[in-house]
Amino acid sequence: EALFRVKDGSVRTGLVSMRKIQISRIPHIMSVVRDIDELKKTQTENTRLAAAVNQAAERVVITDANGTIVYVNPAFELSTGFSQEEAIGETPAILNSSKQTQSFYEEMWKVISGGNVWRGHIINRRKDGTLLHERSTITPIRDSSGAIVNYVQMASDISTEENLRQQLSQSQKMEAIGTLAGGIAHDFNNIIHAITGYTQLVLDDLPLESRAHANLEKVLAAAQRSGEMVKQILAFSRRSTSEVKLLDIGPLVKEGTKFLRAAIPSTIDIESNIVPNPGKIIADPTQIHQVLMNLCVNASQSMKDGKGTIFIDLSEFNLTENLIPQYAEVPPGEYLRLEVRDTGEGISPEILEKIFDPYFTTKGSGEGTGLGLSVVHGIVKTFKGFIKVYSQQGKGSTFEVFFPVSQDREKSAIQVSTPNATPNGSEKILFVDDETILLEMYERQLKRLGYSVTSTDNPREALKILLQHPHRFDIVIVDLIMPNMTGVELAEKIHVGWPDLPIILCSGWNHTVSESEIRRVGIQEVLSKPAMKDQIALAIRKVMDTKGGKSG
């Protein structure tokens, strides 16, 4: 190659060939110069293009007109796990995940074979079996005659973005479910409240030894159980602030075990063993529910053919110095041990060390988010606990969760004493609730206890009554969710106009009202529906017998 200056002054590249020849026995040099300037530019462009394709982060696949792979770039090998040698000669079907229908691929082929560009989201499967979400473009390549000779696919790995999108979607769904559950619970709790209240009124009128009394006690127990189930559903579905407190988790685990029965197949047995009167821990009850649920649901999903047994044990555990090597980095002391064992298929050693990683899952798409155990791990760490996992393939798994027992013995020893008889009084009560069926029940219940009751289903009417009779009432009981004005808003108006008038808030919705807001608007006690007659009576006496209320 040599550079030549041509007549117009420009410099071009020439390919020079020289050969010695004889002409009439006289040696000559024959030179042939071919202008390769355009060819050199094309070669440079092709070299640059080849480097770009080889070094591109996007996966590039070139097939012939029949769809047989003739080229893949290094990014293809990295993203799919298939080598160049394994891919060339095959078709893109080697990546088929069966997550998209046959009609999806038929429509794609119809577009590109017709000479058009196809763009879309493809779910492929890597060589190791994991799913690969890709944003893909397939372009037909034509020769000089216009015939399609190749197809070029460029694809970007969007698996991480897709996981995040699914998590956001799941979070939004859970938020919507929580809002819906709150509204349903409000209405449902009002119904349960009416059932329990009127049942108690009838029970008061019946002889203790009568069959009707015994039957109605069972009705009352069933209604109370329904109310507890609503609270549990809300605990799992709603977004709420953490409620960290001194907690006896024995009853919590018992209730959670009953709730699990509805969450896992009936072909799986649940056996529990809960030590009586275990020590208390500092934790949030909703999050402890979440730990138990996640561990048990995971255990149920490990069962072959959906059959097996889950064992739930709650016991005390004293971590002494001689056990420290077995439980590295854990301070000695008293712990509560929550153990969840299963008879499932077990966890392989290579997976066992990854199970607490966020988004790690062995389940298929749509079957799990990979967040369950990482959430469990985070909750346990938050409350200064730790987790031990033991598993053997074919022999099941054991998760041991340890929570430090609270050393606040004074608080742990507190017992709530309930008087044998329902306390009564003679105060004048203003009751505000938009459910008229409940107002009659409240009036009858409280009048039997000696109280004078004025009731209304309209918050604005309640304010009018107070304005007309500013000194008549000793206490006001308000519902939380009412049309036109919430119980908190009504309480605020009452507190401004009558700052010494005690207020009890009664709600059928587990809506979190902050302590600061409760104090600000003058609310002195909060009751959750369905509240039993005894609970309402005790709350009234608690408020009235303090220095803020009048003694009846």
Side-chain angles (χ1 to χ4, degrees):
E1 291 183 14
L3 296 177
F4 295 86
R5 189 177 299 280
V6 294
K7 185 177 179 180
D8 64 5
S10 62
V11 176
R12 301 182 69 84
T13 303
L15 184 65
V16 182
S17 298
M18 291 184 175
R19 183 179 180 184
K20 182 179 178 183
I21 61 173
Q22 297 284 336
I23 300 177
S24 301
R25 296 184 180 182
I26 299 173
H28 289 72
I29 298 295
M30 182 179 70
S31 298
V32 178
V33 180
R34 184 159 61 101
D35 187 344
I36 61 168
D37 201 67
E38 294 301 323
L39 179 63
K40 286 287 290 183
K41 290 178 180 177
T42 301
Q43 285 179 337
T44 301
E45 290 174 0
N46 287 342
T47 301
R48 187 182 300 116
L49 177 61
V53 170
N54 273 286
Q55 297 176 37
E58 289 78 13
R59 177 168 70 80
V60 178
V61 178
I62 301 175
T63 73
D64 62 18
N66 297 316
T68 301
I69 297 173
V70 296
Y71 171 82
V72 295
N73 70 341
F76 173 93
E77 298 178 300
L78 287 173
S79 64
T80 68
F82 288 98
S83 67
Q84 193 176 53
E85 291 76 17
E86 290 172 311
I88 291 176
E90 297 288 343
T91 68
I94 60 172
L95 302 176
N96 196 315
S97 66
S98 300
K99 294 295 180 182
Q100 284 156 319
T101 63
Q102 185 62 31
S103 61
F104 171 86
Y105 293 103
E106 289 173 356
E107 180 64 25
M108 177 198 297
W109 183 253
K110 182 180 177 181
V111 171
I112 61 176
S113 62
N116 298 306
V117 176
W118 181 91
R119 294 180 178 86
H121 175 194
I122 299 180
I123 306 172
N124 283 322
R125 193 178 296 278
R126 298 182 180 91
K127 187 178 180 180
D128 63 7
T130 57
L131 293 180
L132 173 64
H133 291 264
E134 293 183 306
R135 187 181 295 111
S136 178
T137 301
I138 304 175
T139 305
I141 305 299
R142 300 177 184 272
D143 63 11
S144 57
S145 68
I148 296 174
V149 292
N150 294 101
Y151 296 103
V152 177
Q153 180 192 38
M154 295 191 67
S156 302
D157 185 349
I158 58 170
S159 300
T160 301
E161 292 92 328
E162 183 63 19
N163 281 333
L164 290 172
R165 187 193 66 77
Q166 290 177 0
Q167 294 307 317
L168 177 60
S169 174
Q170 182 71 8
S171 174
Q172 290 171 337
K173 279 193 284 187
M174 289 306 296
E175 186 172 353
I177 289 170
T179 303
L180 178 64
I184 292 173
H186 174 252
D187 293 334
F188 190 47
N189 271 333
N190 279 336
I191 295 168
I192 296 172
H193 202 172
I195 294 171
T196 57
Y198 283 107
T199 301
Q200 283 183 315
L201 285 171
V202 178
L203 281 170
D204 290 342
D205 295 333
L206 291 173
L208 287 174
E209 65 278 1
S210 67
R211 181 180 294 274
H213 194 285
N215 289 341
L216 282 175
E217 281 187 331
K218 291 177 182 177
V219 171
L220 189 62
Q224 289 175 304
R225 174 69 183 146
S226 298
E228 289 302 314
M229 289 296 290
V230 171
K231 289 178 183 177
Q232 288 181 24
I233 292 168
L234 281 167
F236 289 113
S237 64
R238 68 186 172 94
R239 284 179 176 268
S240 62
T241 54
S242 184
E243 186 187 354
V244 178
K245 61 184 180 181
L246 193 64
L247 185 63
D248 180 359
I249 69 170
L252 202 65
V253 174
K254 285 181 184 176
E255 282 299 308
T257 302
K258 293 176 185 176
F259 188 74
L260 274 166
R261 188 68 278 168
I264 65 175
S266 58
T267 51
I268 296 175
D269 295 324
I270 301 175
E271 295 185 14
S272 62
N273 180 33
I274 299 173
V275 66
N277 302 317
K280 297 189 179 183
I281 65 172
I282 301 294
D284 174 14
T286 298
Q287 292 182 337
I288 298 301
H289 261 299
Q290 198 172 1
V291 168
L292 180 65
M293 279 293 288
N294 278 336
L295 291 179
C296 290
V297 169
N298 266 15
S300 72
Q301 291 172 344
S302 74
M303 305 289 186
K304 189 175 182 180
D305 302 324
K307 296 179 181 178
T309 306
I310 298 174
F311 301 91
I312 303 171
D313 294 332
L314 180 65
S315 60
E316 294 175 323
F317 181 80
N318 188 17
L319 181 56
T320 55
E321 293 289 347
N322 60 323
L323 290 174
I324 290 295
Q326 187 180 347
Y327 299 97
E329 300 179 5
V330 179
E334 295 181 14
Y335 291 84
L336 280 190
R337 174 170 56 188
L338 175 62
E339 180 180 280
V340 176
R341 268 182 301 128
D342 65 66
T343 58
E345 296 181 335
I347 307 169
S348 63
E350 61 270 18
I351 292 177
L352 193 61
E353 60 186 32
K354 301 177 183 177
I355 59 174
F356 294 114
D357 293 349
Y359 302 115
F360 176 79
T361 178
T362 58
K363 303 181 182 74
S365 177
E367 297 175 1
T369 62
L371 284 174
L373 289 178
S374 63
V375 167
V376 167
H377 187 266
I379 291 171
V380 172
K381 288 293 184 185
T382 297
F383 301 125
K384 304 187 187 305
F386 63 99
I387 304 177
K388 298 288 286 186
V389 185
Y390 309 93
S391 188
Q392 189 173 350
Q393 285 190 283
K395 294 188 177 180
S397 306
T398 299
F399 284 77
E400 290 182 320
V401 182
F402 296 84
F403 294 103
V405 173
S406 173
Q407 299 305 307
D408 194 341
R409 298 297 182 184
E410 184 179 345
K411 286 185 179 178
S412 298
I414 292 176
Q415 298 291 329
V416 178
S417 59
T418 304
N420 294 327
T422 303
N424 54 22
S426 59
E427 286 87 356
K428 295 178 178 62
I429 300 172
L430 175 60
F431 218 119
V432 190
D433 195 301
D434 62 316
E435 294 286 341
T436 53
I437 192 173
L438 296 180
L439 288 179
E440 182 186 350
M441 179 197 76
Y442 292 133
E443 284 190 36
R444 290 172 60 183
Q445 282 186 339
L446 294 173
K447 284 178 179 178
R448 289 188 180 191
L449 294 174
Y451 296 103
S452 173
V453 182
T454 300
S455 60
T456 177
D457 62 357
N458 189 320
R460 299 190 189 283
E461 182 64 26
L463 290 173
K464 288 181 182 178
I465 292 171
L466 286 171
L467 285 169
Q468 291 168 0
H469 309 282
H471 305 296
R472 172 186 289 183
F473 300 101
D474 301 301
I475 188 169
V476 180
I477 302 176
V478 300
D479 185 27
L480 174 60
I481 304 300
M482 295 182 290
N484 303 320
M485 191 184 302
T486 69
V488 173
E489 290 169 340
L490 176 58
E492 183 174 17
K493 293 179 182 299
I494 293 172
H495 186 58
V496 170
W498 300 267
D500 295 327
L501 187 58
I503 304 169
I504 293 177
L505 181 69
C506 194
S507 173
W509 183 27
N510 279 15
H511 174 77
T512 303
V513 182
S514 67
E515 287 290 335
S516 59
E517 189 174 16
I518 287 172
R519 286 194 301 270
R520 183 181 64 81
V521 299
I523 295 170
Q524 295 189 10
E525 191 72 16
V526 179
L527 284 174
S528 294
K529 293 179 182 177
M532 302 298 287
K533 177 180 67 176
D534 291 352
Q535 293 174 303
I536 296 175
L538 285 168
I540 292 171
R541 288 270 49 92
K542 178 181 177 182
V543 171
M544 296 309 302
D545 294 341
T546 60
K547 63 182 180 180
K550 303 175 187 177
S551 179

